[in-house]
Amino acid sequence: MEEVLFSDELRGRIVDLEYGKLTEEEIKRIYFEETGKELTADIELYHASDYGQKLDIGKNGFDGTIIHFFDEDKGVNQVYSIARGSEMKEEENWRPEDWMYNTFGIFVGQNNGQYRDAQRFEQEITQIINKQTEKSDIDLMKIGLGHSLGGNTKQMQQLINQEFDRVYTINAAQPTVYQLAYTDREFRKELEKNFGLNPWNFSDIYTVDPEALVQFTEQYYKDAGNDIYRLVAEEDMMLAVSQNIRGFITVGHGEPIDTMADFAGIGDILGEIPDKDIQAIQTYMAKYASNYNNEGFDGAVAAMTGIDLKLIDKVMENDGFWDHVKDAPQIISEGIPMLQNMSKKIPELLTHLSVIHKNLDPILSAMVKHGYVNQDQKAAILDAVDGIEKDLQDIVEAINKALEPNLTTIGDVIDIINAYKTIKEKWNSITSHLDTIQMSLSDLMKALANSVEGHSIYNLLEALAADKGKAYKGKDLFMTVTSKGQKVKINLSSAVRIYTAGMAIYDEKEEVLGRLKTDYETSYLQDFENRKAKLLEKITDMEVNYSKYQYLLGSFTYDAYQKYVLTGINVHEDIPPLAENFKAAFEHMFHYYEQEIQQGREAMAKIKKTIEDYFKFDEELAGKIEAG
């Protein structure tokens, strides 16, 4: 059975919709733009956000949509399961949940929340679809789609559960040995057996030679990954990470595509970082995995630094000395434990930041070698980093001073407030140093921007379209056609939007016209006939039951009733029909709008036929080339 979304372009554009407006109408629009044919299968959409409460999913940042295409006559029963990729900020939440998950869930490997949520959502919707199609003889085909972090999630589902018939990823974050070992218990047992790992200490895995781990893991999951197809740009930052940072595996099929001829990516820089230093950072971060798993982003930051951001904000918002006095019990009872915690945590954090500092000179030398910075910029960066370390040390000293006994409650409060002020002052200094670093790394920032651009779906699609007479600008599809010997570039997406919007307008006009006709027939024609029928019914009643209408002759004395008796009623009715000019006015108006709608639909049909003819010509031309 041919896949409904049979091309990289179709799959890529549908996956991109997951970041914005994924609707049945948008799916059909993109399908028509890419194929020149209408998608006639029934489409049902299942959004993970609608199942958050029922399935208890989404708290780790997971989101996605499952699309079900069904057409009994054409033998179509296909599911496309899309997991959304990383986003810098979540809706209504400033915290970079997805990128924190990238750190703890992939690099450290000790969180499987997104995989777990995706699998739970998958099983729920598959049951619903199977029940809806239980009378059909068509087997259900399941396909996984994902970009970035979403691609990582789909690969995890496939490697561990063989959930799909096929998986297609776009610039995906590759799985790591560590996240697979954390999630797949059977695989973990094999690692323990082959590498002598301590089953009670997961961090033991970070001490094993990463190349040996990767080789073993790729062999272990080779068959499970055989139906994974990777679409990736050479310049993608996630590719650079997976090629130069420990623990990432590569399974399935797909070679990197060059999407930016003048940019080679940032892998050469990442490759300068020694593995032992990456291991040190990985081991350090692993210590806080449980805090992240239990308390999320805030819990991890608090555990790593000891900072209670809410308390600091509250204290610094106080207006003057007497507000501090009023809050003295809370400042002392909560502030001192926090500062004590910070006095331990920040030096530990400084120790691991020094790993990066230690490697700065060779890394910056590599940047100089590759043309990302010059010697003056390198010196400025090193000076700024020295300044940041000095500021952090000053913060630690201020905290230690605040923790010295003052022997007075107010004195303790003042010392704590002064520590907060020092923290704020030094933070402003750190920010200034960071600005210096940013200015000195302007060329590198451009490279990173290019790497981020290389990570986008449409950057890859643009590269794929280059040899097909197609191009993507923004999210619009352009086709190149030859007219009178000249090449003309047509915005096909714009044409489809005109057709779709136009047909929607004429559908609405037709619906309004139908309501007007109904109102006309009800309020005038039918009402006239109803009134006429009631009148004739009354006339018939008067003629048949004339005695009931004796009172119409007036009032008489009792003896006069014997003389003045109603003996019959005979009505001579003359009910003229509705005036012809009255009906003609409405019918003329209806006819005018019917013609206008018909002409509009014909104009839209010409646009549609032009698109269909282009694809027909393209297919015929391709056939001639193949035959020749």
Side-chain angles (χ1 to χ4, degrees):
M1 183 197 313
E2 184 181 50
E3 297 170 20
V4 174
L5 306 181
F6 57 86
S7 69
D8 289 325
E9 292 90 339
L10 268 174
R11 290 187 289 265
R13 296 185 72 188
I14 298 301
V15 168
D16 185 68
L17 289 177
E18 176 60 34
Y19 292 102
K21 185 181 179 183
L22 180 51
T23 64
E24 179 179 345
E25 291 74 20
E26 287 295 287
I27 292 171
K28 288 185 174 180
R29 176 184 66 81
I30 286 175
Y31 188 89
F32 185 61
E33 287 180 21
E34 291 289 341
T35 68
K37 299 174 183 176
E38 292 202 54
L39 180 57
T40 57
D42 293 330
I43 302 174
E44 192 76 32
L45 300 178
Y46 301 89
H47 299 289
S49 55
D50 295 333
Y51 292 82
Q53 187 172 359
K54 178 182 178 182
L55 301 178
D56 189 27
I57 60 176
K59 295 176 183 177
N60 285 281
F62 168 74
D63 202 357
T65 301
I66 291 178
I67 309 170
H68 181 216
F69 296 102
F70 187 77
D71 188 330
E72 185 78 45
D73 295 335
K74 295 183 179 179
V76 174
N77 185 16
Q78 298 179 21
V79 154
Y80 287 80
S81 180
I82 305 172
R84 184 179 297 186
S86 301
E87 297 181 280
M88 288 305 296
K89 295 183 180 180
E90 309 306 315
E91 188 176 352
E92 300 180 357
N93 181 9
W94 64 270
R95 295 163 178 79
E97 303 284 7
D98 277 349
W99 291 96
M100 185 64 86
Y101 182 86
N102 286 341
T103 299
F104 284 104
I106 300 177
F107 173 60
V108 174
Q110 293 193 45
N111 185 290
N112 58 10
Q114 295 224 10
Y115 157 80
R116 185 193 63 242
D117 286 2
Q119 193 63 13
R120 194 174 293 173
F121 179 51
E122 196 76 42
Q123 291 169 351
E124 172 75 11
I125 302 307
T126 299
Q127 287 180 1
I128 293 173
I129 291 172
N130 282 336
K131 187 173 182 180
Q132 290 176 342
T133 59
E134 60 185 355
K135 294 182 180 179
S136 174
D137 294 329
I138 310 169
D139 292 335
L140 180 65
M141 175 187 286
K142 295 183 66 179
I143 294 171
L145 303 176
H147 167 246
S148 188
L149 174 57
N152 175 275
T153 301
K154 289 302 160 191
Q155 289 184 80
M156 287 285 288
Q157 288 181 269
Q158 184 68 359
L159 295 178
I160 297 172
N161 307 101
Q162 288 79 62
E163 188 68 44
F164 306 102
D165 295 289
R166 212 158 292 135
V167 169
Y168 297 97
T169 68
I170 304 171
N171 283 341
Q174 291 300 107
T176 66
V177 176
Y178 314 110
Q179 66 174 154
L180 286 163
Y182 185 79
T183 303
D184 188 345
R185 185 57 193 165
E186 294 303 315
F187 172 58
R188 172 81 178 276
K189 290 178 181 177
E190 291 298 314
L191 287 178
E192 291 168 357
K193 183 171 65 175
N194 281 271
F195 293 96
L197 298 177
N198 182 350
W200 310 111
N201 179 17
F202 186 84
S203 292
D204 198 23
I205 195 173
Y206 305 127
T207 66
V208 179
D209 175 21
E211 291 186 10
L213 277 176
V214 167
Q215 187 176 1
F216 180 85
T217 305
E218 289 180 345
Q219 186 60 37
Y220 182 88
Y221 287 108
K222 182 178 180 181
D223 291 340
N226 198 43
D227 289 313
I228 294 175
Y229 296 84
R230 294 174 287 102
L231 191 62
V232 59
E234 284 184 357
E235 303 79 10
D236 177 35
M237 59 183 176
M238 298 305 299
L239 178 64
V241 169
S242 66
Q243 290 177 335
N244 293 279
I245 302 299
R246 61 182 1 235
F248 284 89
I249 70 168
T250 302
V251 292
H253 315 276
E255 294 300 323
I257 299 171
D258 185 0
T259 65
M260 298 180 183
D262 55 347
F263 178 62
I266 59 173
D268 47 10
I269 298 172
L270 294 177
E272 300 287 339
I273 305 175
D275 180 72
K276 61 183 178 62
D277 292 332
I278 296 175
Q279 177 193 0
I281 295 171
Q282 190 177 45
T283 304
Y284 169 69
M285 296 296 291
K287 292 171 57 177
Y288 302 103
S290 62
N291 298 100
Y292 173 71
N293 292 342
N294 295 327
E295 303 170 58
F297 177 85
D298 290 351
V301 171
M304 293 168 70
T305 64
I307 296 176
D308 183 342
L309 296 173
K310 293 179 181 178
L311 177 61
I312 290 181
D313 287 343
K314 184 178 186 307
V315 172
M316 298 310 292
E317 286 172 3
N318 280 345
D319 187 15
F321 175 76
W322 292 109
D323 277 352
H324 293 319
V325 172
K326 180 185 66 176
D327 291 337
Q330 182 185 20
I331 292 173
I332 293 175
S333 64
E334 297 182 23
I336 290 179
M338 183 194 73
L339 292 175
Q340 288 174 334
N341 199 19
M342 288 176 65
S343 71
K344 298 175 184 177
K345 297 289 186 181
I346 291 181
E348 186 180 1
L349 177 59
L350 268 169
T351 299
H352 287 85
L353 289 177
S354 69
V355 171
I356 298 175
H357 190 182
K358 180 182 67 176
N359 285 292
L360 265 182
D361 195 279
I363 291 172
L364 289 172
S365 296
M367 291 182 185
V368 172
K369 180 175 70 176
H370 295 293
Y372 294 123
V373 297
N374 57 40
Q375 290 291 350
D376 291 338
Q377 290 170 327
K378 174 185 173 181
I381 292 168
L382 290 172
D383 287 343
V385 172
D386 287 336
I388 289 174
E389 283 197 327
K390 177 65 168 59
D391 289 334
L392 288 172
Q393 289 164 357
D394 289 345
I395 289 174
V396 173
E397 290 178 9
I399 291 172
N400 291 336
K401 184 177 180 180
L403 292 174
E404 294 176 357
N406 198 291
L407 303 181
T408 66
T409 300
I410 296 302
D412 287 337
V413 171
I414 292 173
D415 286 343
I416 294 173
I417 298 302
N418 287 335
Y420 287 174
K421 288 180 179 178
T422 299
I423 293 170
K424 185 173 182 179
E425 176 188 335
K426 294 301 177 181
W427 176 249
N428 289 336
S429 175
I430 290 171
T431 302
S432 177
H433 290 312
L434 290 172
D435 288 341
T436 299
I437 293 172
Q438 184 175 358
M439 286 188 292
S440 301
L441 292 175
S442 57
D443 291 335
L444 177 62
M445 291 301 107
K446 291 177 183 177
L448 289 173
N450 283 336
S451 188
V452 170
E453 183 183 344
H455 188 60
S456 74
I457 292 175
Y458 271 87
N459 187 68
L460 257 175
L461 296 183
E462 179 69 20
L464 290 174
D467 297 328
K468 302 178 182 179
K470 301 194 299 184
Y472 294 96
K473 302 298 180 185
K475 296 188 178 183
D476 280 5
L477 170 61
F478 287 76
M479 293 286 200
T480 301
V481 299
T482 302
S483 176
K484 298 180 180 179
Q486 291 186 333
K487 288 187 175 181
V488 180
K489 188 173 285 188
I490 299 173
N491 187 330
L492 193 62
S493 296
S494 179
V496 173
R497 280 197 297 270
I498 292 171
Y499 168 73
T500 304
M503 291 301 288
I505 289 171
Y506 290 117
D507 285 343
E508 185 179 358
K509 282 188 174 184
E510 199 161 57
E511 183 183 348
V512 171
L513 181 58
R515 289 202 302 269
L516 284 174
K517 285 183 175 181
T518 300
D519 288 344
Y520 164 68
E521 291 175 357
T522 301
S523 301
Y524 293 103
L525 302 185
Q526 190 175 327
D527 182 67
F528 177 81
E529 294 300 326
N530 288 342
R531 289 171 180 268
K532 180 178 175 181
K534 286 182 179 179
L535 179 59
L536 291 174
E537 182 181 351
K538 189 67 174 177
I539 290 172
T540 301
D541 183 66
M542 293 179 72
E543 289 180 335
V544 174
N545 303 302
Y546 55 85
S547 59
K548 292 193 306 181
Y549 300 93
Q550 175 70 36
Y551 68 90
L552 293 176
L553 297 180
S555 300
F556 305 99
T557 59
Y558 176 75
D559 57 337
Y561 275 118
Q562 303 299 319
K563 182 173 179 61
Y564 300 105
V565 177
L566 184 62
T567 59
I569 296 176
N570 187 16
V571 179
H572 298 279
E573 72 272 10
D574 182 14
I575 305 174
L578 280 173
E580 285 300 321
N581 60 350
F582 175 83
K583 291 196 291 184
F586 281 96
E587 289 172 358
H588 176 74
M589 177 182 67
F590 295 148
H591 179 67
Y592 172 80
Y593 286 122
E594 284 170 349
Q595 278 192 320
E596 184 187 68
I597 291 171
Q598 179 62 28
Q599 289 170 357
R601 288 193 184 281
E602 289 173 357
M604 295 301 104
K606 287 180 181 178
I607 294 175
K608 180 184 175 185
K609 187 175 186 303
T610 300
I611 297 171
E612 291 171 339
D613 287 347
Y614 170 80
F615 279 96
K616 184 178 178 182
F617 170 78
D618 202 41
E619 288 175 4
E620 290 175 352
L621 181 61
K624 289 178 181 177
I625 293 172
E626 289 176 4

